[in-house]
């Protein structure tokens, strides 16, 4: 049997992340994908899964340690089948007991495997499982044992307030939640209650009406669904609809086609919208903010990172384009193409999806006239783009054909008032109609 040294895999841009749980001890037997340790950064909690099955022979980290990609965390004596597939050439990995470095050399930085890989080969670094990466909105912090406890009792942790450090949910928080729901149920004279204290949707056996099929939701849909529901239940939404005459903008975009091709990018209206939105965010800083957890203050951000909703075969994800204020449209286009390709290949890291200030959801390439996007909390506003259409517009003397793009902005009414909301959409619309204003 070969002993394998397990190192922290690619965890995105984080260079120091705290170990908040060590889930295995020497002598434990683990299977592929079993969680070994839990790491927590400011933005995400992630479990590091085992790349092999076997017996844990040494644990070199403890709760409170800070780790980074490549750090040595434990040894596993791999089962024979897994050991046969292990690389023979790497003497250090075959017998780490002879030379067990505290940290694996940073130069041995392996490329991460696709996210959906179920059982990676023994020498392939495991992909950390984001527990609460900013897939779509707010998140909770809870250990795997508390999550298992909640799952067993059917408690939705999105609805539980954590009393531990940094709002971490503990078992007694789950118990308190169950108690309060039970008391609420009794008070509501038998009315069935959901986990958030609202009436549940009635359960119906649809097979009584015809043939049915039950298909389990994908992992991303399950995660984003929770974030969307959390936002929907917590954020008082208002959606402002507007439209912008983008005739000149689109003519400019088309005139840049050859130059864009030379630069290896494809310009779509979205990058112009990103620039217009950032200029408007600079003028309306309440839109580039988050509400403090106690709801008493606004945290204004002095950076401009824009999340872009990307439709993938596995579900909706929101990678973040950084420092949009400092980039030109070709660079933005390149970032967007790279991030959406990564999203569709299931290769986004938690870091790719964190740090957003404002989200844009563009359905303009598909169709529709207007829609009401759900705020990506704890952000406070989101823009929805719909398909631009050529339409007759009265210019004071006659109708002329103009390309008009409908869009909407949903916002958190606790932070933004209606007048400010419509001033923001009007400003974005004006910038898109006359791009020259962006350089003023
Ligand atoms: N009006 C008219 N045409 C538009 C348009 C708009 N608002 N937005 C894009 N288009 C055009 C593009 O110019 C392109 O046409 P050409 O090939 O002729 O230039 C075509 O539509 C396809 O664009 P695209 O969708 O590939 O590119 P994009 O930059 O607009 O969007 C991305 C990129 C990743 C956001 C998009 O592919 C995507 O995934 N959209 C779905 C997001 C989503 O699901 N949101 C819903 C969230 S709420 O459930």
């Amino acid at each position: 049997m070969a002993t394998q040294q397990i190192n922290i895999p690619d965890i995105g841009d984080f260079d120091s992340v705290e170990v908040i749980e060590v889930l295995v001890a020497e002598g434990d037997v683990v299977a592929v994908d079993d969680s070994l340790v839990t790491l927590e950064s400011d933005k995400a909690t992630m479990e590091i899964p085992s790349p092999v099955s076997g017996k844990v022979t040494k644990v070199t980290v403890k709760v409170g340690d800070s780790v980074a990609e490549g750090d040595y965390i434990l040894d596993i004596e791999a089962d024979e089948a897994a050991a046969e597939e292990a690389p023979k050439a790497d003497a250090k990995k075959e017998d780490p007991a002879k030379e067990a470095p505290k940290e694996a050399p940073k130069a041995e930085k392996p490329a991460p495997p696709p996210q959906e890989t179920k059982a990676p080969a023994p020498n392939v670094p495991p992909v950390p499982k984001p527990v609460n990466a900013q897939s779509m909105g707010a998140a909770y912090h809870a250990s795997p044992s508390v999550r298992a406890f909640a799952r067993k009792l059917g408690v939705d942790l999105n609805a539980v307030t954590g009393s531990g450090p940094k709002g971490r949910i503990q078992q007694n928080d789950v118990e308190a939640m169950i108690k309060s729901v039970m008391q609420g149920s009794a008070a509501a004279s038998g009315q069935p209650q959901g986990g958030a204290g609202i009436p549940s949707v009635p359960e119906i056996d649809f097979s009584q009406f015809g043939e049915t099929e039950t298909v389990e939701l994908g992992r991303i849909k399950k995660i984003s669904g929770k974030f969307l529901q959390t936002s929907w239940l917590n954020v008082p939404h208002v959606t402002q609809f507007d439209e912008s005459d983008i005739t000149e903008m689109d003519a400019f975009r088309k005139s840049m086609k050859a130059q864009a091709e030379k630069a290896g990018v494809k310009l779509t209206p979205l990058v112009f919208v990103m620039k217009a939105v950032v200029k408007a965010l600079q003028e309306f800083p309440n839109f580039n903010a988050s509400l403090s957890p106690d709801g008493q203050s606004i945290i204004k951000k002095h950076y401009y990172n824009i999340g872009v909703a990307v439709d993938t075969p596995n579900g909706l994800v929101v990678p973040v384009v950084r420092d949009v204020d400092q980039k030109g449209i070709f660079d933005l286009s390149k970032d967007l193409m790279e991030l959406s390709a990564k999203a569709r290949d299931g290769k986004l890291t938690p870091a790719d999806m964190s740090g957003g200030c404002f989200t844009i959801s563009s359905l303009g390439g598909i169709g529709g006239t207007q829609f009401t996007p759900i705020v990506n909390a704890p952000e406070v506003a989101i823009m929805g783009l719909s398909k631009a259409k050529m339409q007759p517009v009265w210019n004071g003397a006659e109708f002329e054909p103009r390309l008009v793009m409908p869009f909407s902005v949903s916002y958190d009414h606790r932070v933004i008032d209606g007048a400010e909301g419509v001033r923001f959409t009007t400003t974005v619309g004006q910038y898109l109609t006359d791009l020259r204003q962006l350089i003023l």
Side-chain angles (χ1 to χ4, degrees):
M1 286 198 197
T3 300
Q4 288 210 22
Q5 179 181 302
I6 309 299
N7 300 330
I8 296 290
D10 182 357
I11 50 173
D13 284 346
F14 301 110
D15 48 13
S16 174
V17 184
E18 192 182 336
V19 176
I20 56 161
E21 259 174 332
V22 178
L23 303 162
V24 291
E26 282 176 26
D28 282 358
V29 173
V30 291
V32 170
D33 264 358
D34 277 0
S35 296
L36 301 173
V37 295
T38 310
L39 309 180
E40 186 175 72
S41 73
D42 288 351
K43 297 290 172 207
T45 304
M46 55 204 126
E47 290 169 22
I48 303 299
S50 176
V52 285
S53 58
K55 191 163 142 190
V56 177
T57 54
K58 186 173 181 182
V59 180
T60 64
V61 283
K62 55 183 190 322
V63 172
D65 284 354
S66 287
V67 292
E69 181 183 349
D71 283 357
Y72 169 42
I73 53 168
L74 51 87
D75 287 338
I76 294 179
E77 196 174 75
D79 287 348
E80 263 166 37
E84 276 165 26
E85 290 175 51
K88 301 264 181 320
D90 194 338
K92 266 187 205 164
K93 281 184 183 168
E94 279 178 11
D95 190 2
K98 281 187 195 152
E99 192 186 342
K102 258 272 169 249
E103 286 193 0
K106 299 274 188 217
E108 284 178 18
K109 188 173 173 177
Q115 277 180 347
E116 293 304 319
T117 305
K118 280 271 180 302
N123 57 333
V124 174
V127 175
K129 301 176 203 166
V131 176
N132 65 343
Q134 257 183 317
S135 178
M136 197 72 189
Y140 55 76
H141 294 227
S143 70
S145 59
V146 170
R147 284 202 299 276
F149 178 67
R151 242 191 336 267
K152 197 168 155 196
L153 298 171
V155 175
D156 180 356
L157 286 178
N158 286 305
V160 179
T161 306
S163 62
K166 294 187 194 167
R168 198 166 173 71
I169 300 172
Q170 297 173 323
Q171 183 161 328
N172 58 346
D173 299 322
V174 179
E175 288 164 354
M177 174 67 173
I178 294 167
K179 197 172 165 198
S180 81
V181 170
M182 293 304 291
Q183 285 167 345
S185 299
S189 35
Q191 173 91 1
Q193 300 281 311
I198 54 170
S200 310
V201 174
E203 265 183 53
I204 292 174
D205 175 11
F206 300 105
S207 65
Q208 64 184 300
F209 306 114
E211 201 182 314
T212 62
E213 186 190 357
T214 303
V215 183
E216 198 182 344
L217 290 177
R219 191 174 60 84
I220 293 181
K221 269 221 163 107
K222 284 184 191 164
I223 296 172
S224 61
K226 278 191 176 176
F227 288 131
L228 291 164
Q229 189 177 18
T230 301
S231 177
W232 186 253
L233 291 173
N234 282 290
V235 176
H237 279 72
V238 176
T239 303
Q240 177 66 49
F241 299 102
D242 213 327
E243 56 185 25
S244 173
D245 181 336
I246 61 163
T247 315
E248 323 300 349
M249 182 200 94
D250 209 52
F252 175 59
R253 178 179 77 88
K254 286 183 176 140
S255 74
M256 298 293 288
K257 202 174 168 192
Q259 211 172 317
E261 270 169 21
K262 251 192 222 158
V265 295
K266 188 184 147 198
L267 290 182
T268 62
L270 185 52
V271 283
F272 296 93
V273 175
M274 288 165 82
K275 288 303 282 185
V277 161
V278 164
K279 174 99 163 122
L281 290 178
Q282 288 166 337
E283 281 166 52
F284 296 90
N286 282 349
F287 284 78
N288 200 50
S290 284
L291 201 55
S292 62
D294 64 3
Q296 300 302 302
S297 339
I298 296 171
I299 302 160
K300 293 187 176 173
K301 297 159 197 172
H302 295 162
Y303 51 87
Y304 299 91
N305 297 337
I306 302 292
V308 177
V310 177
D311 178 36
T312 78
N314 296 320
L316 180 70
V317 286
V318 187
V320 173
V321 181
R322 281 166 208 284
D323 302 320
V324 174
D325 55 320
Q326 294 163 36
K327 292 178 181 163
I329 51 170
F330 285 180
D331 284 340
L332 289 178
S333 211
K334 191 163 163 279
D335 283 4
L336 199 57
M337 284 166 70
E338 283 171 4
L339 283 170
S340 49
K342 236 174 148 184
R344 288 183 177 125
D345 293 344
K347 288 184 177 162
L348 288 175
T349 63
D352 287 327
M353 293 185 281
S354 59
C357 306
F358 179 100
T359 296
I360 302 178
S361 175
S362 175
L363 294 176
I366 306 169
T369 52
Q370 289 277 14
F371 66 106
T372 56
I374 296 178
V375 170
N376 188 8
E379 294 169 19
V380 294
I382 181 169
M383 171 179 271
L385 295 182
S386 296
K387 194 174 180 65
K389 282 193 192 105
M390 197 56 87
Q391 60 188 55
V393 175
W394 184 251
N395 67 9
E398 57 184 355
F399 283 105
E400 57 173 319
R402 306 291 296 176
L403 187 63
V404 177
M405 183 175 72
F407 66 95
S408 54
V409 173
S410 297
Y411 55 85
D412 185 335
H413 207 347
R414 292 171 300 176
V415 178
I416 295 154
D417 291 332
E420 200 177 6
V422 76
R423 278 189 201 111
F424 179 81
T425 57
T426 305
T427 303
V428 175
Q430 280 166 356
Y431 290 150
L432 291 173
T433 298
D434 183 3
L435 290 179
R436 293 170 306 178
Q437 292 187 34
L438 290 180
I439 54 171
L440 291 180

